[in-house]
Amino acid sequence: MTGGFAPWQQRAYDRAAEALDSGRMGHALLLCGPALLGKRAVAERLAQHVLGCGQDPRAQRLFAAGSHPDYSAIGFIPTKDGSRLRSEIVIEQIRELSAKLTLTPQYGASRVALIDPADAINHAACNALLKTLEEPHPGRYLWLVAANPMRLPATIRSRCQRLELRLPPHEEALSWLQAQGHSTDAAGEALDAARGHPGLADAWLRDGGMELRRSVAADLTAIARGELAVSEAARRWTDDDAAAQRLRHAADLAAAQAAGLTDPMRSRRLVAWFDAANRTRDLLRTTVRADLAVIELLLAWRADAAGRRDGRGRR
């Protein structure tokens, strides 16, 4: 997301800031909601509020530079060999963050720690985090940002107040997309494709996601008609870093088709394929060969299309 606060971010921030100022917010906060709605930006603005950056230009400069001594944030770190980022947050990170929270603040009377994405904390790290949540220190705030909060243990969720960012009304989302410089037609098409998610629509319009979606739709149509070999489509879909995004688009396109049908059997098959596409996307994070997993998925798509043609022929 670009530019200043979106309206839905401002509403979430205002609620949280008012709760903080009135003493109705505890030390632990879980900011949740769909990815790309700006949860991290809200959390960082709240941190600046708590740390008094608005009244202290030097503190504001330190925060902007990522060097404020009373603010700590953790996320994915490189693996030991430095070849890639880890896919989870590990116990050493939580222990280090917890230790920083116990230190005396250097500015004012507060310290803030942020974990993003909190839903990537592994089991051992969750146990360490639970201890920190159960032993709060005055003036210390621990904020968790999560797009999938149900991945966190119930023991963690129950010890946090919840601030949820929700998808905004359609007209508000459309106006915001137009304010980002997108045309009305393009914004409307992307917003519909993203099922009302303005942050996702904005990302797709900026990074070629809508063109990728149209390419996926064309491939699915060609496979159904027998005009494109499944092996060729699978190779194309997995030949770069956009495989997961293609599978997301494919699943969404199947769901959109299912929503517009009156044939319950056909709808159920599309919903089943939607689930299969999402499972295949999850497999991309494992050692399974991506092209073979996608071939299996697309064979099912072709078989369903062939079955529908045979059914019409018999009728």
Side-chain angles (χ1 to χ4, degrees):
M1 299 180 67
T2 60
F5 258 9
W8 56 89
Q9 289 176 291
Q10 189 67 52
R11 288 192 293 270
Y13 170 80
D14 289 344
R15 289 197 306 272
E18 196 277 328
L20 281 165
D21 293 343
S22 63
R24 293 184 289 106
M25 183 175 290
H27 72 291
L29 178 66
L30 173 59
L31 295 98
C32 54
L36 298 178
L37 274 187
K39 300 181 294 297
R40 175 67 178 260
V42 172
E44 290 178 344
R45 182 76 64 83
L46 284 172
Q48 294 176 65
H49 179 73
V50 167
L51 297 173
C53 293
Q55 294 77 43
D56 185 342
R58 183 166 181 263
Q60 179 63 49
R61 288 194 297 272
L62 288 171
F63 192 96
S67 55
H68 195 294
D70 297 330
Y71 176 72
S72 304
I74 60 172
F76 294 135
I77 59 174
T79 55
K80 289 183 179 180
D81 63 7
S83 62
R84 57 185 175 84
L85 291 179
R86 289 179 179 268
S87 59
E88 58 184 13
I89 292 173
V90 296
I91 190 170
E92 292 80 8
Q93 293 175 272
I94 299 299
R95 286 173 173 167
E96 182 180 353
L97 194 73
S98 299
K100 288 181 178 179
L101 278 176
T102 66
L103 299 175
T104 301
Q106 295 188 35
Y107 288 83
S110 300
R111 278 186 171 271
V112 177
L114 177 69
I115 305 174
D116 177 24
D119 41 14
I121 302 174
N122 68 20
H123 179 72
C126 277
N127 290 335
L129 178 62
L130 184 60
K131 183 178 180 181
T132 300
L133 289 170
E134 290 174 337
E135 301 174 358
H137 293 262
R140 309 305 195 269
Y141 297 93
L142 178 57
W143 295 339
L144 284 63
V145 176
N148 299 289
M150 294 307 293
R151 292 181 181 173
L152 286 165
T155 50
I156 299 289
R157 299 196 308 271
S158 65
R159 285 165 173 79
C160 300
Q161 289 178 258
R162 187 180 180 108
L163 178 64
E164 185 169 359
L165 276 71
R166 298 183 174 89
L167 295 182
H170 183 275
E171 288 305 315
E172 180 177 276
L174 186 61
S175 295
W176 179 81
L177 285 169
Q178 291 170 326
Q180 307 312 302
H182 304 302
S183 71
T184 301
D185 289 345
E189 180 190 9
L191 190 61
D192 289 342
R195 289 182 282 181
H197 190 320
L200 187 57
D202 180 54
W204 285 351
L205 288 167
R206 293 181 186 281
D207 66 10
M210 289 303 295
E211 289 81 1
L212 194 69
R213 185 183 184 88
R214 285 188 280 270
S215 174
V216 167
D219 284 352
L220 290 175
T221 298
I223 290 169
R225 292 174 176 171
E227 299 168 353
L228 175 63
V230 164
S231 58
E232 170 61 20
R235 184 198 61 76
R236 187 188 305 167
W237 284 23
T238 59
D239 209 26
D240 55 26
D241 294 333
Q245 192 173 358
R246 287 188 181 91
L247 288 170
R248 174 173 187 155
H249 285 311
D252 285 349
L253 289 163
Q257 282 192 32
L261 293 176
T262 57
D263 179 352
M265 292 185 62
R266 170 65 174 151
S267 293
R268 284 194 293 271
R269 288 196 298 270
L270 282 170
V271 169
W273 197 87
F274 167 87
D275 291 337
N278 285 322
R279 287 195 300 271
T280 303
R281 185 174 56 168
D282 291 338
L283 285 174
L284 297 183
R285 296 194 292 268
T286 71
T287 57
V288 170
R289 273 186 55 179
D291 59 334
L292 296 182
V294 173
I295 282 175
E296 183 178 355
L297 178 72
L298 296 181
L299 283 172
W301 180 267
R302 188 179 68 182
D304 179 63
R308 283 184 285 122
R309 287 197 301 270
D310 292 346
R312 284 198 298 270
R314 286 194 297 269
R315 287 195 298 270

